[in-house]
Amino acid sequence: MAGRNGRTVRDLRRANRTAVLQRLYFDGPLSRFELGPATGLSSGSVSNVVADLVADGLVEEAGSVDSDGGRPRTLLRVAPGSGHMIGVDVGETRVRVELFDLTLTELARAERPLAPQRYDVDVVVGHIRDGVAEVLGAAAVAPERLLGAGIGVPGIVEHTADRGAVVHGQTIGWDAVPLEALLRAGSPLPDTVPYLIDNGARTLGQAEMWFGAGRGARNAVVVLFGSGVGASLVTPEVEQGRAVEWGHLTVRVRGRRCRCGARGCLEAYAGAESLLARWREEGGRVPRTTAADDEETALTAMLAAAHPAGGESPDPVAVAVLEETAEYLGAGLSDLINLFQPERIIVGGWAGLQLGTRFLPAVRRHARSYALRHPAGKVTIDLGSLGPDAVTVGAAILPLAAFFTRGGRAPDPAPADPSPAWRTALEERAPR
């Protein structure tokens, strides 16, 4: 039966379960007494919901604390083993697959390298399938126990009614690739376990906003700096986060050719691939032992050449290219500052973290010199705190968010509306 606001009793129960689960997840362990004011529910409602969640195996006791003059209060927490999620990062150097328990503790991982500039769809799909099977086997987790497999990919993700998630990845040569349908065909997962696909910069942003350097901020931009560059925007108007193709902002008219085919994109100057290409083109001292197709190793060598140990002279070309790249990145960040006036800018991705604090002070300086003084004076620019696995963590949040929306219940049958349920969950940002 529906009430005046259109909500049924079932909707109300699900909302109450969601409220309790989220508070225990983000702030637990908590007692029943503490859950009342934390959720806004009556003591009776808290008791009923907790009893249901304990009976379902989703909540368990976690010790006790003394109360004022009364008997000790039992603490409750979300049971880590009551659910599992997979997070997948389809990066530009490798495919990384990680299995997590419900509290996002990593249980197993698998990695498959990708050949440089080779993003064959069948190869990537095969790597994902094999990686999923490998991590499930390593942790002895039955596929049907998964809440879902979240996948972060380069490019724009479109959700369609007939083909599921479709990826438009111009920089990697993917033109309307029906990735969800391809993964489902021959999948090691049962049909009841969903694949949830989104842009990798957005999954990185979601991870940092829920658990990392963005926690507590309302306005933030999370930047993914890898082979290319991307960003995720979170504002009060776009609370679930929105991937923005920041790497294809034009920073130089008739400039270098970008992987997307246009000229003068930020990515053509600031992505790790273009940074290394410019080092080689300008005669940098690239070590012979560095494989030309190993971007991460090559970037480490470039940083070492610019800041050598043992009294050696720095490579002037590496120094000049890194300094120029810092200016391009700072100028690109200034556009984000002027447009969106964020509280925080968080730099993540393997290249951003690898260059680290040596690179960041110059980026900050250039960002503030190019941006308007008022918004520049309010923003902080820092590295992400979740490390190189942030994209996979963010991808695993996609099924976790849907789990919260359902109040911990099993997934409903697929809706006719192609908008996935986990997007609704992300729009209702998790408590911090």
Side-chain angles (χ1 to χ4, degrees):
M1 178 178 176
R4 292 183 180 179
N5 60 3
R7 300 180 72 190
T8 65
V9 172
R10 181 184 179 192
D11 292 334
L12 182 60
R13 288 175 178 167
R14 181 169 56 194
N16 290 348
R17 285 170 62 100
T18 294
V20 171
L21 276 172
Q22 286 189 327
R23 296 276 35 130
L24 288 175
Y25 193 89
F26 290 97
D27 300 325
L30 296 171
S31 67
R32 290 172 177 81
F33 179 80
E34 293 170 311
L35 279 169
T39 60
L41 299 177
S42 68
S43 59
S45 294
V46 168
S47 295
N48 290 335
V49 171
V50 167
D52 284 346
L53 294 174
V54 170
D56 290 345
L58 298 175
V59 168
E60 63 186 15
E61 294 185 359
S64 62
V65 292
D66 292 334
S67 61
D68 296 334
R71 59 183 181 179
R73 292 184 180 133
T74 301
L75 293 176
L76 303 165
R77 69 174 183 180
V78 172
S82 59
H84 299 82
M85 300 87 69
I86 282 178
V88 180
D89 176 9
V90 179
E92 295 175 319
T93 60
R94 63 169 60 87
V95 174
R96 177 183 287 130
V97 181
E98 296 183 50
L99 174 68
F100 302 92
D101 68 15
L102 196 61
T103 57
L104 285 173
T105 299
E106 181 188 316
L107 303 179
R109 74 163 55 197
E111 292 191 358
R112 301 288 189 277
L114 292 174
Q117 301 178 355
R118 295 287 299 276
Y119 309 107
D120 182 270
V121 174
D122 291 338
V123 170
V124 171
V125 169
H127 284 344
I128 295 173
R129 287 179 185 157
D130 293 346
V132 167
E134 181 177 332
V135 296
L136 289 173
V141 172
E144 58 271 14
R145 294 191 62 191
L146 286 177
L147 301 177
I151 304 169
V153 297
I156 298 169
V157 180
E158 177 187 14
H159 295 274
T160 67
D162 55 342
R163 296 193 295 170
V166 175
V167 181
H168 305 272
Q170 189 167 323
T171 60
I172 61 172
W174 285 16
D175 183 13
V177 171
L179 184 60
E180 184 177 348
L182 292 173
L183 286 170
R184 184 55 67 189
S187 170
L189 303 181
D191 290 343
T192 53
V193 176
Y195 286 102
L196 310 174
I197 302 170
D198 209 341
N199 174 271
R202 186 172 179 275
T203 67
L204 168 69
Q206 196 64 53
E208 291 289 353
M209 294 303 292
W210 277 29
F211 303 110
R215 190 176 170 94
R218 295 188 68 227
N219 301 359
V221 175
V222 184
V223 171
L224 192 160
F225 179 21
S227 297
V229 292
S232 176
L233 167 69
V234 179
T235 70
E237 295 77 27
V238 193
E239 291 189 347
Q240 75 276 22
R242 174 179 296 160
V244 292
E245 292 296 332
W246 175 60
H248 303 288
L249 178 81
T250 301
V251 295
R252 190 167 182 174
V253 176
R254 293 187 295 276
R256 287 175 61 88
R257 180 76 68 181
C258 179
R259 296 184 300 175
C260 73
R263 286 191 178 274
C265 294
L266 176 62
E267 188 167 295
Y269 294 91
E273 180 180 302
S274 61
L275 191 160
L276 293 167
R278 285 160 49 221
W279 186 32
R280 294 188 178 95
E281 290 166 6
E282 296 176 24
R285 299 198 302 263
V286 184
R288 291 183 179 180
T289 56
T290 299
D293 60 353
D294 186 344
E295 287 184 2
E296 295 187 33
T297 302
L299 192 59
T300 300
M302 184 179 188
L303 188 58
H307 302 276
E312 297 181 16
S313 299
D315 178 351
V317 177
V319 171
V321 170
L322 284 168
E323 288 179 348
E324 184 183 46
T325 301
E327 184 166 8
Y328 275 115
L329 272 174
L333 291 180
S334 75
D335 290 325
L336 296 175
I337 292 169
N338 290 342
L339 286 169
F340 304 115
Q341 302 180 31
E343 298 171 40
R344 301 178 198 174
I345 293 178
I346 300 159
V347 179
W350 65 265
L353 297 174
Q354 188 169 329
L355 292 168
T357 54
R358 288 181 178 176
F359 199 63
L360 203 59
V363 173
R364 289 191 187 109
R365 185 174 65 253
H366 289 302
R368 292 190 173 109
S369 70
Y370 281 103
L372 294 171
R373 285 192 302 272
H374 182 68
K378 294 186 172 184
V379 69
T380 60
I381 303 174
D382 291 298
L383 293 178
S385 62
L386 297 180
D389 294 344
V391 173
T392 52
V393 172
I397 286 175
L398 303 180
L400 178 62
F403 169 82
F404 284 147
T405 294
R406 298 190 305 268
R409 301 289 190 189
D412 293 327
D417 183 351
S419 300
W422 52 266
R423 284 194 175 276
T424 302
L426 294 181
E427 288 168 6
E428 301 166 358
R429 289 167 63 188
R432 293 201 250 293

